[in-house]
Amino acid sequence: MGRPVKAKGRGNLPTHVKVDLEPAWWHRERPGKLLLEAARIVDSGVWAEAAVKFHEERQAKRKTGEQAPKGAQRYVNAALKARFLAAGWTWDDGRCHKGDCFVRITFRHQMSLEADLYEALRMHKDSGCEQVAVLAADKAFLQIITPNDAAALCSYQKFEAELDGSKALEGVPLFLGRLTPKSQPPDDVGDALRFLPRFRDKGVPVN
């Protein structure tokens, strides 16, 4: 599995995302062509684009005293949607389907964890998908994407704990994907992601 990159100091913020795909404990299949394609799409500059757009909008809102975005999930999802659709996948709020492969990319609240896993089960049983996967950010990455809400969101570690020893999905060709950061954005973008306060429910003050 990839080692998470800690967001400390200059030069540690990522522009690219590494996707580590691991089969659920009950099977030893290798990722197929389509699942590997999905992993490549996620690691195709998505975070670089999202981070820059997030930074630009924060800066613009700060100048006018308006409420600034608090998390970058919206920008990540927009970049992912554009790339998956361009590659011939369907996209429905993080649900990606192409051929016999289904991928759920989630930055949702942890209360949706079981629903995300059930959706993978349903796509295998009802839609005949030969491989299904749930991709979620590592806890350290969530702290970069949305520090205010990271603890309440689905993380790779929470999915891993949920499946540990569970037999509820045994027999489903399920993979877990761990999203971890790699490489670096421009320093001004990185510094904004690390150090600017992300206030809740009020505009960002202009000094």
Side-chain angles (χ1 to χ4, degrees):
M1 304 297 290
R3 176 178 294 179
V5 178
K6 296 181 179 179
K8 294 182 179 179
R10 291 177 77 86
N12 278 339
L13 261 289
T15 55
H16 290 267
V17 178
K18 182 178 181 181
V19 183
D20 288 308
L21 292 168
E22 291 288 339
W25 64 266
W26 55 80
H27 74 93
R28 290 293 179 267
E29 287 190 30
R30 297 177 65 84
K33 180 179 178 181
L34 287 175
L35 187 50
L36 291 174
E37 178 181 290
R40 287 192 298 271
I41 293 171
V42 175
D43 185 19
S44 64
V46 166
W47 177 239
E49 177 181 324
V52 169
K53 288 186 176 180
F54 171 72
H55 172 60
E56 289 175 346
E57 184 161 340
R58 277 193 62 86
Q59 292 294 90
K61 296 293 186 182
R62 290 181 77 233
K63 288 179 181 178
T64 60
E66 298 177 76
Q67 183 172 332
K70 306 173 188 70
Q73 304 101 303
R74 172 162 60 98
Y75 308 91
V76 175
N77 282 328
L80 285 168
K81 178 181 179 179
R83 286 163 171 77
F84 272 94
L85 290 176
W89 292 70
T90 65
W91 174 275
D92 178 16
D93 193 25
R95 301 169 184 88
C96 314
H97 185 205
K98 184 177 182 180
D100 61 0
C101 184
F102 172 77
V103 176
R104 180 65 165 108
I105 305 172
T106 181
F107 299 98
R108 299 202 296 170
H109 192 277
Q110 61 191 356
M111 291 180 65
S112 70
L113 189 147
E114 290 185 2
D116 289 337
L117 291 173
Y118 174 77
E119 194 164 28
L121 168 65
R122 182 177 60 80
M123 290 300 294
H124 171 60
K125 296 291 187 182
D126 298 344
S127 299
C129 289
E130 294 296 325
Q131 290 195 334
V132 294
V134 176
L135 310 187
D138 174 272
K139 288 193 298 184
F141 195 15
L142 284 177
Q143 285 291 339
I144 300 171
I145 296 172
T146 178
N148 286 339
D149 301 316
L153 300 185
C154 288
S155 67
Y156 171 86
Q157 288 89 343
K158 289 175 183 175
F159 281 106
E160 191 175 43
E162 179 72 16
L163 291 178
D164 186 24
S166 172
K167 296 187 177 181
L169 297 176
E170 194 169 358
V172 177
L174 174 68
F175 290 78
L176 285 184
R178 180 175 187 167
L179 309 183
T180 55
K182 65 178 186 179
S183 71
Q184 303 161 15
D187 283 336
D188 59 340
V189 177
D191 287 348
L193 286 166
R194 277 193 298 274
F195 304 128
L196 284 180
R198 305 194 197 175
F199 296 94
R200 287 183 181 273
D201 303 324
K202 57 184 176 181
V204 177
V206 179
N207 296 323

